[in-house]
Amino acid sequence: MEIAGLPAPVFCGVDWAEAHHDIALVDASGKQLAKQRITDDAAGFTQFLALLTEHGDSKDHPIPVAIETSRGLLVARLRATGRPVFAINPLAVARYRDRHSVARKKSDAVDAAALANILRVDMAAHRPLPADSELAQAVAVLARAQQDAVWDRNQAHNKLRSQLREFYPAILAAFADHRFGLCSREARTVLAAAPTPSAAAQLGRRQLRALLKRAGRVRGIEAEAERLHEVFRREYLHHLPQVEEAFGQQTAALLRQLDTACANADELEAATVNAFDRHPDAPVITSFPGLGSLTGARVLAEIGDDRTRFVNAGSLKAYAGSAPVTRASGKSCVVTSRRVKNQRLASTGHTWAFASLRASTDARAHYDRRREAGDRHTAALRNLFNRFLGMLFFCLQNEVPYDPEKAYSKHPSAEILPAVA
């Protein structure tokens, strides 16, 4: 049936798997129009598009597609066609499936039909995947990979440090005050040359100077070599010689893992910054205090550059988890922080807000007011991040850089709300 010359709406659901995908098409009345299983390759995608075209899909009226994931080649190709793609949480699919079958029957074809019916009934309650530009998607891949590499580096560092505490306190004391600790090139170079405390004690000043130069140090080499020489020759407890040698071999293996993790993080950081600096939104994002190219890339990676993705600043704040949640029932009313949020964006927001305390006196003043109102440190930073997101939404929508005078002039003493748990 057609209304006003338009084709009857059709909805598509896709239950994806590693080797194949099940497809279901339903009309506005819930009648299943077609179902098909396709392979996870180019031939299967061609069959998928042919099935959609057969049931009225066109450039002007694309059939919306619901799927349980937002990643993968199938999703990427569907987004490239310009059609609305909805990533539905598997838990929501399970709850909807129970509405139609008390026997809890489940199959891939049933799940595909359930996904299609979710769009038919509740499409307005779900948000399609954003139509980000190709460069924004590339920045997202690199920024997330770099953040994962940093987490891998931290894990490798913690493993190595925990193991060194068992037998090698000298190396920990030598680089305890170093900015990057054991992750520094100097620490890793010295540790590679002397993986045991006995080997470190035998290093002479000349060898230490050569190691520091190899690590890239250009200033204060003499003083640093003298300091390391003194630290390594202090009196420490030791394991038996063969046991210490075994620990040294384990240290060498863990050090190789740390070297690889550090190299991955550094290379991905350079690639991320290079891609982000070419994006049109980069000047606006980095105009905010506390945001550099790397943290700015992480922000762009999570919010994208689709201006229609968030209808207002409140939607962006809820997505980032900075806006509080009010739970009210009867006489009870509790304001708490959000737990369901974009964890990567929330983590970056904490770093952003913390860095802004030194970069902006206005940000510091806002943080101090929140602390005086009873917020703890984390809650005060989250409130500052929440304020920054509202400004960022306005600046991106209007393509203007951050202006501290306009940002704070109208509200010199920001409204103090009750502290959030």
Side-chain angles (χ1 to χ4, degrees):
M1 175 175 134
E2 296 187 2
I3 301 177
L6 298 178
V10 178
F11 308 92
C12 176
V14 180
D15 183 81
W16 68 279
E18 184 175 336
H20 62 266
H21 313 294
D22 283 84
I23 302 169
L25 298 177
V26 300
D27 61 14
S29 66
K31 178 183 177 182
Q32 184 163 303
L33 302 176
K35 64 177 181 178
Q36 186 175 356
R37 172 169 289 187
I38 62 172
T39 54
D40 184 36
D41 54 19
F45 185 71
T46 301
Q47 291 179 339
F48 187 11
L49 293 183
L51 182 64
L52 294 177
T53 303
E54 180 184 344
H55 289 83
D57 181 74
S58 65
K59 184 177 181 179
D60 296 330
H61 302 286
I63 295 176
V65 178
I67 190 169
E68 291 178 304
T69 181
S70 60
R71 299 181 179 182
L73 284 172
L74 178 63
V75 174
R77 293 311 306 160
L78 287 172
R79 293 177 68 183
T81 62
R83 71 184 65 256
V85 179
F86 295 78
I88 309 297
N89 191 300
L91 290 177
V93 180
R95 300 298 181 270
Y96 190 92
R97 187 174 59 241
D98 291 342
R99 293 172 57 186
H100 295 270
S101 175
V102 295
R104 297 193 175 184
K105 180 178 65 172
K106 184 188 183 306
S107 68
D108 294 342
V110 169
D111 284 349
L115 283 162
N117 279 299
I118 287 177
L119 290 188
R120 179 180 66 87
V121 177
D122 296 318
M123 186 164 66
H126 296 275
R127 184 168 52 189
L129 294 177
D132 292 329
S133 66
E134 182 178 354
L135 181 55
Q137 293 183 50
V139 170
V141 171
L142 291 171
R144 291 166 182 167
Q146 198 277 335
Q147 194 169 39
D148 289 339
V150 170
W151 290 336
D152 291 340
R153 182 182 64 191
N154 293 343
Q155 186 179 34
H157 168 269
N158 292 339
K159 285 183 178 180
L160 178 60
R161 185 181 182 281
S162 177
Q163 197 263 350
L164 291 175
R165 290 183 66 254
E166 298 290 330
F167 85 111
Y168 202 164
I171 195 72
L172 298 179
F175 296 96
D177 297 328
H178 197 285
R179 179 182 177 186
F180 299 106
L182 295 176
C183 289
S184 66
R185 291 187 61 185
E186 294 175 16
R188 290 183 284 126
T189 301
V190 172
L191 188 56
T196 64
S198 297
Q202 295 174 4
L203 291 175
R205 295 178 179 84
R206 181 185 231 173
Q207 292 172 297
L208 288 170
R209 288 196 296 270
L211 290 173
L212 291 174
K213 290 180 181 179
R214 187 189 307 171
R217 191 181 183 97
V218 295
R219 296 179 180 177
I221 294 179
E222 291 288 342
E224 182 66 7
E226 184 65 32
R227 186 187 70 83
L228 292 177
H229 186 265
E230 187 274 329
V231 171
F232 289 147
R233 287 181 176 267
R234 293 174 187 170
E235 184 176 353
Y236 300 96
L237 297 176
H238 288 266
H239 282 280
L240 297 175
Q242 292 187 28
V243 177
E244 184 176 284
E245 183 64 27
F247 271 117
Q249 294 179 0
Q250 183 185 9
T251 297
L254 293 175
L255 181 60
R256 287 192 292 271
Q257 295 179 6
L258 181 59
D259 286 336
T260 301
C262 289
N264 290 341
D266 292 341
E267 292 175 6
L268 286 170
E269 178 178 349
T272 301
V273 170
N274 180 55
F276 172 73
D277 289 342
R278 292 187 281 112
H279 195 278
D281 290 346
V284 175
I285 294 176
T286 54
S287 67
F288 280 78
L291 275 185
S293 292
L294 182 58
T295 49
R298 291 178 179 175
V299 171
L300 177 63
E302 303 310 323
I303 68 175
D305 58 2
D306 181 3
R307 296 290 185 263
T308 64
R309 181 177 186 179
F310 303 103
V311 295
N312 51 43
S315 299
L316 175 58
K317 294 175 180 180
Y319 177 72
S322 61
V325 175
T326 301
R327 304 181 185 276
S329 178
K331 297 182 179 180
S332 173
C333 182
V334 180
V335 180
T336 63
S337 59
R338 289 179 183 265
R339 296 188 178 183
V340 179
K341 56 190 174 184
N342 184 310
Q343 298 292 346
R344 290 181 183 271
L345 184 54
S347 175
T348 302
H350 181 90
T351 304
W352 174 10
F354 187 74
S356 71
L357 298 182
R358 289 188 176 183
S360 169
T361 55
D362 293 316
R364 180 72 201 197
H366 182 89
Y367 169 84
D368 291 339
R369 286 194 297 269
R370 295 303 310 182
R371 292 285 284 162
E372 292 172 1
D375 278 357
R376 295 184 177 182
H377 171 69
T378 302
L381 288 181
R382 184 168 57 243
N383 187 277
L384 178 59
F385 174 45
N386 188 64
R387 185 175 178 83
F388 274 141
L389 283 179
M391 302 175 191
L392 179 62
F393 179 83
F394 173 84
C395 291
L396 289 175
Q397 291 290 334
N398 295 276
E399 298 182 355
V400 295
Y402 169 81
D403 186 343
E405 294 184 1
K406 293 182 179 179
Y408 291 94
S409 60
K410 293 183 179 180
H411 305 282
S413 57
E415 179 185 0
I416 300 300
L417 302 177
V420 178

